[in-house]
Amino acid sequence: MTDFDQRRRTLCMQLLGGLAGAALGGSAWARPSVDDTGKVFRLDGAGVTYAFGVNTDGQLQTLYWGSALAPDDRLAAPVPVPENSSNEMPVVLTPFEFPGFGGGLTVEPALKVTFPDGVRDLVLRHVDHRVDGDRIVIRLKDVSRAVHVTLTYAMDAATGILARSAVVENRTPGWIQVDQLAAASVNLPYADDYRMSYLTGRWAGEFALQTRPIVPGSIVIESRKGATSHQANPWLAISRGATEEESGPVWFGALGWSGSWRIHVDMDGLGGLRTTAGYNPFDFAYRLKPGESLASPVFHAGFSSEGFGGASRVFHRYQRSNILPVPPGASAPRLRPVLYNSWEATLFAVDEAGQTALAEKAASIGVERFVMDDGWFGARSSDKAGLGDWVVNRKKFPNGLAPLIKRVNALGMEFGLWVEPEMVNPDSDLYRAHPDWVIHFQGRPRSEARNQLVLNLARKDVYEHLLKMLDRLLADHAIGFLKWDHNRAWSEPGWPEVAAADQQRLYVAYVDNLYKLLAELRRRHPKVEIESCASGGGRVDLGIMALTDQVWTSDNTDPFDRLLIQDGFSRAYTPAIMMAWVTDAPNFVNRRVTSLEYRFLSAMQGGLGIGANLNHWKAEDFALAKRLVAGYKAIRKTVQQGDLYRLVSPQGGSNRSATLSVAQDGRQAVLFAFLHSSGLREAQPRIQLRGLDPKKEYALRAIAGKAVPRTPQRASGAYWMGHGLVVEMVGDFQAAAFVLEG
Ligand code: DGJ
């Protein structure tokens, strides 16, 4: 095994073991069991059972996935599926855990390979299995050739979420080409009312929730863009017809991969439902020399019988405890500091005096982290030039960044800086020196987007250059935070310096080096936090989340649009990492005018940031902001790391929305309520809270807005959940926020 493969395997194991878990001194994974026949494997945790087994033909089949079975319930070992007709061969109907393309498989394979002699038939059979501490490892092998596959399963005891991955290893004497590799196939039995929810979008319109019935045929969600993408996010949920927000079964999963990916959901003619998640097979080829191996990303899959709300709460919890980085010595991810970001205020026109003036104003309202965005380096005065030249622009900062950073620190704030390491403007010294460093095909045009090209991070020299540059930047300056941007999709995905047969390794090797770069920077600079930004939310997935501390949800900072984006985001990902800014009105995206209070309350649903031009604020704006920032600091732990209840969803053009976050210790709950517009003197419905202790007494306190007269100031959890409260809201773009302390 080469270093490269070993590292990939290590990364995969780290993800399975949980980077956070490791920091916590060992994550709590459920102990898998194998029955006395040695044919049935079970993982049980947090009210969930996942079971699979091996049949007499050595095929690995799914047996069960859903609410917990009793410990003594015996599951019969699977049997080979009989032929249904000559047109539906058994392999097509078998609920394989990891099907190879071969033996007549015409449904989606998890693994497809090509051998040098043109053979493309791969029939995987069980070789052996072992319970390796808290994971179960299954080895499969082709019936005649030395292609070995190792499947790893680990279930988080606290959430019942299963992490699955696969490693394919070439032990044949010649090369093999991996044409397609998934982390897992997951099967559900026939039902006629399955529905699938997933997230699509576009720039400034990410995390749009889609739901559609699953009927025979395939649904594909994917990115072919080299990065996770705005267009679709690698998360899905499968529910039943009767599933609602707080009741009914939901099976969900997300792929931890920040490159091109695909999730393929297909229902066969007999109703079997299969989900296959992994590298996008489109334009994929990964040639393995003898002894080499390729690891898949990790697919994280969970189940809840408590509807979409239950599913997202359990997934958020899993992300906080198993995925997100935890600072050394801490037991949970760090709370997001309140930040200020200069982008919408100044665009590229950053300089020492202007940034200092903004920093002073930001500090006066309680900002904790001041972030200077694009424009501070090279010949960067627009998006046309300078990207790649990470030297401080001396016209804008005659004495370097030190005086600004010193002032920011003296104001009691941490300093953060924008970078976009993976990109280059052709009009840059870096590109002029290294035109071959970008992803391209020899002799072909190089398509630009935002006047930039993508550096080929798969190349060792590019990796080393970026590591050196970023390491130096962090070593030379008191930088506490990097906003790591990525502003375009790939084009012409060539890597001319390697043999033609190896060029498509790019899809894996690039992301692999991105992860390695982030991990190495974190190791060298453990106090520096990183935000994953990609023109907004174009790179949000469990892979990047393991190596970054927060994500930039969307460039769309309109507070009303954001309610929908944040609702979609919360279906898959925790508010603990979801950044939201208060910016100017009218908003640059849609010219919508909203009050400063409304903008604050919308942004307070996640990690609060301010991106407005503070030079335009009046004294009363500063006073309001100061009060709301202080109010936010008193509730942020609950908002970021509590249990989220989507009481009234903004989906489907709803005029109203409301969320409740309940602290893990149950002592605080935070309610946000929003109204789009009053019409026809309609009344406001009662908002019934959830997740409180019915017996505990909670005091109600308004952060903004008010409840209708005669609302009690104290009442039991039973009262707030049963009776509820009515929020007084009249007008357009109204918002209110309350704290309940118990
Ligand atoms: C895209 C990001 O999403 C914005 O917030 C900003 O950082 C710009 N890039 C800067 O070019």
Coordinates of all heavy atoms in Angstrom, one line a residue, residues 203 341 343 348 373-374 380 418 420 450 483 485 487 533-536 552 554-555 581, ligand 1:
W203 N -26.6 29.6 -6.8 CA -26.0 30.6 -6.0 C -27.1 31.6 -5.5 O -28.0 31.9 -6.2 CB -25.0 31.4 -6.9 CG -24.5 32.6 -6.2 CD1 -23.5 32.6 -5.3 CD2 -24.9 34.0 -6.3 NE1 -23.3 33.9 -4.8 CE2 -24.1 34.8 -5.4 CE3 -25.8 34.6 -7.1 CZ2 -24.3 36.1 -5.3 CZ3 -26.0 36.0 -7.0 CH2 -25.2 36.7 -6.1
N341 N -18.0 41.0 9.2 CA -17.3 40.8 7.9 C -17.5 42.0 7.0 O -18.6 42.5 6.9 CB -17.9 39.5 7.3 CG -17.2 39.2 5.9 OD1 -17.4 39.9 5.0 ND2 -16.4 38.2 5.9
W343 N -17.3 42.3 3.7 CA -17.5 42.2 2.3 C -18.6 43.0 1.7 O -18.4 43.8 0.8 CB -17.8 40.7 1.9 CG -18.2 40.4 0.5 CD1 -19.4 40.0 0.0 CD2 -17.4 40.7 -0.7 NE1 -19.4 39.9 -1.3 CE2 -18.2 40.3 -1.8 CE3 -16.1 41.1 -0.9 CZ2 -17.7 40.4 -3.1 CZ3 -15.6 41.2 -2.2 CH2 -16.4 40.9 -3.2
F348 N -14.1 45.1 -2.6 CA -12.7 45.0 -2.7 C -11.9 46.2 -2.2 O -10.7 46.2 -2.1 CB -12.3 44.8 -4.2 CG -12.9 43.5 -4.8 CD1 -14.0 43.6 -5.5 CD2 -12.2 42.3 -4.6 CE1 -14.6 42.4 -6.1 CE2 -12.8 41.1 -5.2 CZ -14.0 41.2 -5.9
D373 N -12.5 40.8 4.4 CA -12.8 39.9 3.3 C -11.8 40.2 2.1 O -10.7 40.7 2.3 CB -14.2 40.1 2.9 CG -14.9 38.8 2.4 OD1 -14.6 38.5 1.2 OD2 -15.6 38.1 3.1
D374 N -12.2 39.8 1.0 CA -11.5 39.9 -0.3 C -10.8 41.3 -0.5 O -11.4 42.3 -0.1 CB -12.4 39.6 -1.4 CG -11.8 39.1 -2.7 OD1 -10.5 39.3 -2.8 OD2 -12.5 38.6 -3.6
R380 N -5.3 43.2 -6.3 CA -6.7 42.8 -6.2 C -7.5 44.0 -5.9 O -7.7 44.4 -4.7 CB -6.9 41.8 -5.1 CG -8.2 41.2 -5.0 CD -8.5 40.1 -6.0 NE -9.7 39.3 -5.6 CZ -10.3 38.5 -6.4 NH1 -9.8 38.3 -7.7 NH2 -11.3 37.8 -6.1
W418 N -9.9 36.7 4.9 CA -10.4 35.9 3.7 C -9.3 35.4 2.9 O -8.3 36.1 2.6 CB -11.3 36.9 2.9 CG -11.9 36.3 1.7 CD1 -13.2 35.7 1.6 CD2 -11.4 36.2 0.3 NE1 -13.4 35.3 0.3 CE2 -12.3 35.6 -0.5 CE3 -10.1 36.6 -0.2 CZ2 -12.1 35.4 -1.9 CZ3 -9.9 36.4 -1.6 CH2 -10.9 35.7 -2.4
E420 N -8.7 32.6 -0.7 CA -9.3 31.6 -1.6 C -8.1 30.8 -2.3 O -7.8 31.0 -3.4 CB -10.1 32.3 -2.7 CG -10.9 31.4 -3.6 CD -11.8 32.1 -4.6 OE1 -11.7 33.3 -4.8 OE2 -12.6 31.4 -5.3
R450 N -15.7 33.9 -13.1 CA -15.3 35.0 -12.3 C -13.8 35.4 -12.5 O -13.1 35.6 -11.6 CB -15.5 34.7 -10.8 CG -15.8 35.9 -9.9 CD -15.6 35.6 -8.5 NE -16.1 36.7 -7.7 CZ -15.7 37.0 -6.4 NH1 -14.8 36.3 -5.8 NH2 -16.2 38.1 -5.8
K483 N -11.5 32.7 6.5 CA -12.6 32.4 5.7 C -12.1 31.9 4.4 O -11.5 32.6 3.6 CB -13.4 33.7 5.5 CG -14.6 33.6 4.5 CD -15.4 34.8 4.4 CE -16.5 34.7 3.3 NZ -17.2 35.9 3.2
D485 N -12.5 30.5 0.9 CA -13.5 30.6 -0.1 C -13.2 29.7 -1.3 O -12.0 29.2 -1.4 CB -13.6 32.1 -0.6 CG -15.0 32.5 -1.1 OD1 -15.8 31.6 -1.4 OD2 -15.2 33.7 -1.2
N487 N -14.7 29.9 -5.3 CA -15.8 30.6 -6.0 C -16.1 30.1 -7.4 O -16.8 30.8 -8.2 CB -15.4 32.1 -6.1 CG -15.8 32.8 -4.8 OD1 -16.9 32.7 -4.4 ND2 -14.8 33.4 -4.2
C533 N -16.4 28.3 2.8 CA -17.3 29.2 2.0 C -17.1 28.8 0.6 O -15.9 28.5 0.2 CB -16.9 30.6 2.3 SG -17.6 31.8 1.2
A534 N -18.1 28.8 -0.3 CA -17.9 28.5 -1.7 C -19.0 29.4 -2.4 O -20.0 28.8 -2.7 CB -18.0 27.0 -2.0
S535 N -18.7 30.6 -2.6 CA -19.7 31.5 -3.1 C -21.0 31.3 -2.3 O -22.1 31.1 -2.8 CB -20.0 31.3 -4.6 OG -18.9 31.5 -5.4
G536 N -20.9 31.3 -1.0 CA -22.0 31.0 -0.1 C -21.9 29.5 0.2 O -20.8 29.0 0.6
W552 N -20.3 29.2 5.5 CA -21.0 30.3 5.0 C -22.2 29.8 4.2 O -22.1 29.2 3.2 CB -20.1 31.2 4.2 CG -20.8 32.5 3.7 CD1 -20.7 33.0 2.5 CD2 -21.7 33.3 4.4 NE1 -21.4 34.2 2.4 CE2 -22.1 34.4 3.6 CE3 -22.2 33.3 5.7 CZ2 -22.9 35.4 3.9 CZ3 -23.1 34.3 6.1 CH2 -23.5 35.4 5.2
S554 N -24.9 31.1 2.7 CA -25.4 31.6 1.4 C -24.9 33.0 1.2 O -24.9 33.8 2.2 CB -26.9 31.5 1.3 OG -27.3 32.1 0.1
D555 N -24.6 33.4 0.0 CA -24.4 34.9 -0.2 C -25.6 35.7 -0.1 O -25.6 36.9 -0.1 CB -23.7 35.1 -1.6 CG -22.2 34.9 -1.5 OD1 -21.7 34.7 -0.4 OD2 -21.6 34.9 -2.6
W581 N -25.6 36.6 8.5 CA -25.2 38.0 8.7 C -26.4 38.9 8.7 O -27.3 38.8 7.9 CB -24.2 38.5 7.7 CG -22.9 37.8 7.5 CD1 -22.4 36.9 8.3 CD2 -22.0 38.0 6.4 NE1 -21.2 36.5 7.8 CE2 -20.9 37.1 6.6 CE3 -22.1 38.8 5.3 CZ2 -19.9 37.1 5.7 CZ3 -21.0 38.7 4.4 CH2 -19.9 37.8 4.6
Ligands
DGJ1 C1 -17.9 34.9 -2.2 C2 -18.3 34.8 -0.7 O1 -19.4 34.0 -0.6 C3 -18.5 36.2 -0.3 O2 -18.9 36.2 1.1 C4 -17.2 37.0 -0.4 O3 -16.2 36.5 0.5 C5 -16.7 37.0 -1.9 N1 -16.7 35.6 -2.4 C6 -15.4 37.6 -2.0 O4 -14.9 37.6 -3.2

